C-alpha cells in the first residue's frame, strides 16, 4: 500500500520505485497556413513533450519550466500567431490540468508567454502570441507553472494541448 503523499524522506532519495510525482505535459503541434498571402508557405513546428520534472506536494515552491518551440518556414519573413488550446484534461485554457496515469487525480498547471507567469497563453485574443520568422526561423518560449501545495499522488501525470500556427 502506498501512502497518499510521499514523505519528506522519499523526496530526498530519488528511488525509482518511490519517486515524487513525475509530471509531463505533451504539446501536440498543428500547423495551419491557409491565409491568402502565404497559402504556399510550408512550415514545420518542433514541439515535443514538455517535461516538467518532479513535483513535491509538501513544499510551497512553484515548479516552473521553460521550453522552446521552433517554427521553420520556407517563406522567409512570415508574420504569425501562435495559439495554445485548452487542456485535454480540464477543457480550459484558464485552468489547465494534468491527469494522473492511472488514478482519478489531477495536478493544476498553466502555460505562459513569460517566465514571470503574468501573460497566460491561450487560443484567442490577447492570449495568442504574435511573432515573425527571421530568415525562415522563429524560436518561441513556453513557460509552464505548476501550482504549489497540491494534494498529489505519486506517479506520472500528463496532458495534451494543441498548438496552432496562423499566418
Amino acid at each position: 500500500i502506498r501512502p497518499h503523499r510521499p514523505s519528506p524522506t522519499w523526496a530526498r532519495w530519488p528511488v525509482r520505485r518511490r519517486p515524487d510525482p513525475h509530471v509531463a505535459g505533451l504539446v501536440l503541434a498543428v500547423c495551419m497556413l491557409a491565409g491568402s498571402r502565404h497559402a504556399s508557405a510550408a512550415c514545420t513546428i518542433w514541439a515535443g513533450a514538455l517535461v516538467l520534472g518532479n513535483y513535491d506536494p509538501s513544499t510551497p515552491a512553484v515548479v516552473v519550466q521553460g521550453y522552446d518551440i521552433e517554427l521553420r518556414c520556407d517563406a522567409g519573413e512570415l508574420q504569425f500567431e501562435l495559439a495554445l488550446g485548452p487542456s485535454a484534461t480540464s477543457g480550459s485554457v484558464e485552468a489547465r490540468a494534468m491527469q494522473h496515469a492511472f488514478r482519478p487525480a489531477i495536478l493544476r498547471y498553466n502555460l505562459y508567454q513569460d517566465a514571470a507567469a503574468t501573460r497566460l497563453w491561450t487560443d484567442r485574443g490577447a492570449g495568442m502570441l504574435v511573432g515573425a520568422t527571421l530568415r525562415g526561423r522563429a524560436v518561441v518560449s513556453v513557460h509552464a507553472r505548476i501550482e504549489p501545495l497540491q494534494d498529489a499522488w505519486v506517479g506520472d501525470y500528463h496532458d495534451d494541448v494543441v498548438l496552432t500556427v496562423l499566418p
Side-chain angles (χ1 to χ4, degrees), residues 2 15-26 50-55 89 97-107 146 152-159:
R2 289 185 173 182
V15 178
R16 187 64 187 143
R17 289 184 310 258
R18 297 180 184 167
D20 290 336
H22 294 281
V23 292
L26 176 63
L50 170 60
V51 179
L52 299 175
N54 291 335
Y55 176 81
T89 300
M98 290 179 277
Q99 178 66 50
H100 190 277
F102 59 90
R103 294 190 184 272
I106 62 167
L107 277 176
I146 302 176
W153 286 90
V154 173
D156 293 331
Y157 289 77
H158 71 278
D159 191 27

Side-chain angles (χ1 to χ4, degrees), residues 56-100:
D56 183 350
S58 65
T59 182
V62 176
V63 175
V64 179
Q65 181 68 39
Y67 178 74
D68 288 337
I69 296 172
E70 184 175 351
L71 176 66
R72 290 183 181 235
C73 297
D74 64 7
E77 305 292 321
L78 177 68
Q79 297 284 326
F80 63 86
E81 289 182 311
L82 272 176
L84 291 179
S87 160
T89 300
S90 70
S92 170
V93 292
E94 290 83 12
R96 290 183 174 108
M98 290 179 277
Q99 178 66 50
H100 190 277

Side-chain angles (χ1 to χ4, degrees), residues 94-165:
E94 290 83 12
R96 290 183 174 108
M98 290 179 277
Q99 178 66 50
H100 190 277
F102 59 90
R103 294 190 184 272
I106 62 167
L107 277 176
R108 292 180 314 279
Y109 79 100
N110 227 319
L111 301 171
Y112 297 88
Q113 296 180 24
D114 61 326
T118 60
R119 295 184 57 207
L120 182 64
W121 204 326
T122 69
D123 58 352
R124 60 191 173 279
M128 294 174 57
L129 181 121
V130 177
T133 58
L134 180 61
R135 292 189 281 281
R137 183 175 181 264
V139 177
V140 177
S141 293
V142 177
H143 303 276
R145 181 181 193 268
I146 302 176
E147 297 299 320
L149 301 173
Q150 295 183 58
D151 195 15
W153 286 90
V154 173
D156 293 331
Y157 289 77
H158 71 278
D159 191 27
D160 294 326
V161 175
V162 175
L163 178 145
T164 307
V165 180

Side-chain angles (χ1 to χ4, degrees), residues 34-58:
S36 59
R37 254 186 8 206
H38 304 290
S40 63
C43 292
T44 304
I45 301 172
W46 187 85
L50 170 60
V51 179
L52 299 175
N54 291 335
Y55 176 81
D56 183 350
S58 65

